[in-house]
Amino acid sequence: MVKEIVLANAPTGFPVIELGKADSTFEIKEVELLELQDNQLLLQTIFVSNDPAQRGWIQKDQNSDRAYLPPILPGDRMRAASIAKVLKSTSSSFKEGTLVQCYGGWAEQLVVNAKDAFPLPDLPGVSPSVFLGAVGVPGLTAYFGLKDVCKLQEGQVIIISGAAGATGNVAVQLAKHVLKASKVIAIAGSDEKCQWLREIGADVALNYKSSSFPNALVEAAKPSYADCYFDNVGGPILNACLSVIKRNGCVAACGAISAYNDPSQMILSNWAEIIINRITVKGFIVMDYYHRRAEAVEVISSAIKEGKLSVVGGETIVRCTEFKEIPKVWIRLFRGENTGKLVTQVAD
Amino acid sequence: MVKEIVLANAPTGFPVIELGKADSTFEIKEVELLELQDNQLLLQTIFVSNDPAQRGWIQKDQNSDRAYLPPILPGDRMRAASIAKVLKSTSSSFKEGTLVQCYGGWAEQLVVNAKDAFPLPDLPGVSPSVFLGAVGVPGLTAYFGLKDVCKLQEGQVIIISGAAGATGNVAVQLAKHVLKASKVIAIAGSDEKCQWLREIGADVALNYKSSSFPNALVEAAKPSYADCYFDNVGGPILNACLSVIKRNGCVAACGAISAYNDPSQMILSNWAEIIINRITVKGFIVMDYYHRRAEAVEVISSAIKEGKLSVVGGETIVRCTEFKEIPKVWIRLFRGENTGKLVTQVAD
């Protein structure tokens, strides 16, 4: 028998993380592993990815028609990207002992079909957890968001919120050092995060919790306003940014973490700016670009090798001593406690 | 001496329409008309246009940098499109007695440079007031909003809010009878307006004040959701529409009348739909298309002549017996009291 964590009660507001309560969002389950069939792998989970999007996947009463992935229902194992070690293999493509990427979820061990596991890209000298962050979904999101959604050009001004997060910090570095933005304005939630963002390439880094934030944002955007805004957070920060985007500028709507647990926070009193200044808001999901994954991995890997993209500081790895701690690490995402990619390590 | 109405106190909330109070938004002024110079016209205002956008022009503490027209400041005559009669002319292009279009504003009589007045398009059998509505700025807004912003194709499904308004009713008729949408879902604020919208081409017309509105909208959008949403109102209706726009669909952000007097009403709890369903929101201002005015006037005029676009019912003309009544008519726009274009007639 092995442990996994399943959805117990689909939340509408802030998830209840403590296990064992009547309204707990999650619960622990013991499951029996099936014998391997042909072309299957027995995996030991090593690293589990924590992503704001996971909150959307468990939202109560979703219209499955409109979701981009099937909703996770009570009783289902929590979905998460992961890095796992192959313990047994009946596939000629994977040797025992190698590491793979997959959507293994919150499971100690699990059996997957070989076609649902992927070898790690070749990038020596980095922790395998990087394939959940800068060279994983968050990094791809940053790359395609800048390149295809913002269509960021050399010399332009860009604002990036959630800038100290997994996607944000890669976006800041790619915008400045690879796509050659003339000014990167980064927004984050602490002075320490802002200091780090300046070190990795932000021309200006603003703490949105500071009372001077709205004015500082206006000053930072002078003299020409911003060509685009890469929005990871929604809410009051999106609202503030609408008033400093250039005429005919754009918003890449990537995430809205500020409102995932309370959508009523999405008050956009500056909406008229979208009309008056002919702003285009483009929602996007990185899955739509997966057919171009190799292109993004190549650009990001090269940037790492050339020293243009630092993964030092861009990652917070939390080692769980007990499997049941996984939800407690995950919820830190929504408290703004982590810097860079938040990864949970469940085994060595 | 002639009368004009000027801005007294720039509003932040709902305008104070009663004249003569300490906080009145407007006040009456008597002004002396200057002698005509060369190439000038003395005009008698006949019809004054009432447009939601005027509320934006008088908003307090605007950043003139970001406005699409210079803000109207206290002491300035209220800006409005108008149809006027030429009383005297020192221009060879305009004869006395003819009617012209201009931005004459809230003035009984005024002197303008001939280059700022335009002859009325040739369209026999309609009231000249139509050049402030279906064949004026609202009609052009409907045309370019559908054609260039929504890029509405034959056979598509479109939702139009503020559908009984000046822009909305033209959009409904053009979408259905000229651009051949398969389904036009119109949203308005009374059962009478909805009845009229069905008569002029709406496949479905929904009263947003009805308690069944949210469900009725979902039902109306079945089975395929809407390709685009022409948004004239913002606020809760925009929010509801976000959940019934097709994947990769679009919102043409044309106006937000629901929030002009109280921007805090712009609560978009469904914002995540923009991300999840890759929706594009495009703000636009009709001025950007003025160089293609002739194209729009041609399409709209032809539709009127061919009986595809009715201007009967699409216009509410209020005859003011006293000049000072102008603001009282204008404010009806924000109370949802008018059907179609609201025009104020100040002289015969």
Side-chain angles (χ1 to χ4, degrees):
Chain A
M1 303 285 274
V2 296
K3 291 194 191 77
E4 59 180 39
I5 295 175
V6 302
L7 183 64
N9 297 290
T12 54
F14 206 87
V16 177
I17 291 305
E18 201 183 323
L19 298 174
K21 293 174 73 175
D23 59 348
S24 290
T25 300
F26 303 106
E27 65 187 355
I28 296 245
K29 211 161 110 179
E30 301 252 337
V31 295
E32 200 145 2
L33 292 173
L34 298 172
E35 284 290 304
L36 292 200
Q37 308 290 308
D38 280 354
N39 288 309
Q40 287 195 322
L41 309 174
L42 172 63
L43 300 178
Q44 166 70 51
T45 305
I46 310 288
F47 295 108
V48 174
S49 182
N50 297 291
D51 296 283
Q54 290 170 288
R55 176 61 187 81
W57 302 342
I58 60 173
Q59 176 69 15
K60 193 170 183 171
D61 296 331
Q62 287 178 65
N63 179 349
S64 59
D65 241 29
R66 297 185 63 78
Y68 65 96
L69 281 173
I72 297 170
L73 301 176
D76 291 349
R77 185 203 303 151
M78 183 61 175
R79 185 190 294 136
S82 59
I83 305 286
K85 186 193 270 182
V86 179
L87 297 182
K88 282 190 199 166
S89 171
T90 55
S91 156
S92 57
S93 310
F94 294 94
K95 279 194 214 153
E96 285 161 24
T98 58
L99 292 177
V100 297
Q101 280 183 299
C102 63
Y103 270 90
W106 291 358
E108 279 184 317
Q109 293 187 8
L110 70 163
V111 172
V112 301
N113 294 317
K115 68 175 176 49
D116 296 326
F118 303 91
L120 301 188
D122 183 35
L123 187 65
V126 300
S127 159
S129 56
V130 162
F131 299 107
L132 297 177
V135 199
V137 170
L140 267 60
T141 305
Y143 176 78
F144 292 112
L146 293 173
K147 187 90 178 164
D148 284 70
V149 187
C150 292
K151 298 190 194 301
L152 183 67
Q153 306 295 312
E154 187 172 337
Q156 288 190 330
V157 176
I158 185 168
I159 305 172
I160 299 169
S161 63
T167 296
N169 90 83
V170 178
V172 165
Q173 299 185 72
L174 290 179
K176 189 67 194 175
H177 304 306
V178 176
L179 297 169
K180 307 283 183 196
S182 65
K183 194 196 282 181
V184 176
I185 301 170
I187 302 174
S190 77
D191 291 342
E192 292 67 32
K193 290 178 181 177
C194 288
Q195 180 52 36
W196 174 60
L197 288 164
R198 283 180 209 107
E199 288 164 15
I200 63 172
D203 296 281
V204 182
L206 303 174
N207 180 350
Y208 70 85
K209 290 178 182 165
S210 155
S211 61
S212 64
F213 170 67
N215 289 332
L217 179 63
V218 171
E219 286 306 311
K222 285 182 179 175
S224 63
Y225 298 112
D227 295 278
C228 47
Y229 167 49
F230 193 121
D231 182 30
N232 287 305
V233 300
I237 296 174
L238 166 58
N239 196 46
C241 286
L242 287 179
S243 66
V244 294
I245 298 169
K246 208 176 265 192
R247 183 153 297 178
N248 297 310
C250 82
V251 175
C254 178
I257 194 170
S258 72
Y260 287 165
N261 293 308
D262 183 2
S264 69
Q265 292 309 301
M266 194 53 105
I267 302 172
L268 298 183
S269 58
N270 288 331
W271 179 266
E273 291 277 357
I274 292 178
I275 304 171
I276 293 169
N277 283 301
R278 299 80 150 170
I279 293 168
T280 299
V281 178
K282 288 181 270 188
F284 76 106
I285 293 282
V286 68
M287 280 170 50
D288 295 345
Y289 299 91
Y290 277 179
H291 61 285
R292 285 168 54 202
R293 185 182 212 126
E295 169 193 334
V297 168
E298 167 60 27
V299 171
I300 296 169
S301 301
S302 298
I304 292 174
K305 288 179 202 155
E306 294 164 15
K308 292 176 178 172
L309 200 162
S310 163
V311 292
V312 178
E315 200 176 51
T316 305
I317 298 179
V318 179
R319 177 69 167 100
C320 284
T321 47
E322 290 193 275
F323 183 74
K324 67 177 183 190
E325 303 294 314
I326 289 181
K328 283 192 196 166
V329 180
W330 176 71
I331 204 68
R332 294 186 192 186
L333 284 176
F334 303 95
R335 297 201 174 111
E337 291 172 4
N338 65 299
T339 296
K341 175 70 191 182
L342 178 64
V343 174
T344 307
Q345 185 170 4
V346 295
D348 293 314
Chain B
M1 303 286 276
V2 296
K3 291 195 189 77
E4 60 180 39
I5 295 174
V6 302
L7 183 64
N9 297 291
T12 54
F14 206 87
V16 177
I17 292 304
E18 199 183 323
L19 299 175
K21 293 173 74 174
D23 59 348
S24 290
T25 300
F26 302 107
E27 65 187 354
I28 296 245
K29 209 161 112 180
E30 300 252 337
V31 295
E32 200 144 1
L33 292 173
L34 298 173
E35 284 291 302
L36 292 201
Q37 309 289 309
D38 280 354
N39 287 311
Q40 287 196 322
L41 309 173
L42 171 64
L43 300 178
Q44 165 70 50
T45 304
I46 311 287
F47 295 107
V48 175
S49 182
N50 296 291
D51 296 283
Q54 290 170 287
R55 175 63 186 79
W57 302 342
I58 60 173
Q59 176 68 17
K60 194 171 182 169
D61 296 331
Q62 288 178 65
N63 179 350
S64 59
D65 241 28
R66 296 185 64 79
Y68 65 97
L69 282 172
I72 297 171
L73 300 176
D76 290 349
R77 184 203 302 151
M78 181 62 175
R79 184 190 294 138
S82 59
I83 305 287
K85 186 193 269 180
V86 178
L87 297 181
K88 280 190 201 167
S89 169
T90 54
S91 156
S92 57
S93 309
F94 294 94
K95 277 194 214 152
E96 284 163 22
T98 57
L99 291 178
V100 297
Q101 281 183 299
C102 63
Y103 270 91
W106 291 358
E108 279 184 316
Q109 293 187 6
L110 70 162
V111 172
V112 301
N113 294 319
K115 69 174 177 48
D116 295 327
F118 302 91
L120 301 187
D122 182 34
L123 187 66
V126 300
S127 159
S129 56
V130 164
F131 299 107
L132 297 177
V135 199
V137 169
L140 266 62
T141 305
Y143 175 79
F144 291 112
L146 294 172
K147 188 90 179 164
D148 285 71
V149 187
C150 292
K151 299 190 195 299
L152 182 68
Q153 306 295 311
E154 188 172 337
Q156 288 191 329
V157 176
I158 185 168
I159 305 173
I160 299 169
S161 62
T167 296
N169 89 85
V170 178
V172 166
Q173 299 185 72
L174 289 179
K176 190 67 196 174
H177 304 307
V178 176
L179 297 170
K180 306 285 183 195
S182 64
K183 195 195 283 179
V184 175
I185 301 169
I187 302 174
S190 77
D191 292 342
E192 293 66 32
K193 289 179 180 177
C194 288
Q195 180 52 37
W196 174 60
L197 288 164
R198 285 180 208 107
E199 288 165 15
I200 63 173
D203 296 281
V204 182
L206 303 174
N207 180 351
Y208 70 85
K209 291 178 182 164
S210 157
S211 61
S212 64
F213 170 68
N215 289 332
L217 179 64
V218 171
E219 286 305 311
K222 284 183 179 172
S224 63
Y225 298 111
D227 295 278
C228 46
Y229 168 48
F230 193 121
D231 182 31
N232 287 304
V233 301
I237 297 174
L238 166 58
N239 196 46
C241 287
L242 287 178
S243 66
V244 294
I245 298 170
K246 206 176 268 191
R247 185 154 297 178
N248 298 309
C250 82
V251 175
C254 178
I257 192 168
S258 73
Y260 287 166
N261 294 308
D262 183 3
S264 69
Q265 291 309 302
M266 194 53 105
I267 302 172
L268 297 183
S269 57
N270 288 331
W271 179 266
E273 291 277 356
I274 291 178
I275 304 171
I276 293 169
N277 282 301
R278 300 80 150 169
I279 293 168
T280 300
V281 178
K282 289 180 270 188
F284 77 105
I285 293 283
V286 68
M287 280 170 50
D288 295 344
Y289 299 91
Y290 277 180
H291 61 286
R292 285 167 52 201
R293 185 183 211 122
E295 168 193 334
V297 168
E298 167 60 28
V299 172
I300 296 169
S301 300
S302 298
I304 293 174
K305 287 179 202 154
E306 294 164 15
K308 292 175 177 170
L309 199 163
S310 163
V311 292
V312 179
E315 198 177 54
T316 304
I317 299 179
V318 179
R319 177 68 167 100
C320 284
T321 47
E322 290 192 275
F323 183 75
K324 69 177 183 191
E325 303 294 313
I326 288 179
K328 284 193 194 164
V329 180
W330 176 71
I331 204 70
R332 294 187 192 185
L333 285 176
F334 303 95
R335 297 201 173 110
E337 291 172 3
N338 64 299
T339 296
K341 175 69 191 184
L342 179 64
V343 174
T344 307
Q345 186 170 5
V346 295
D348 293 314

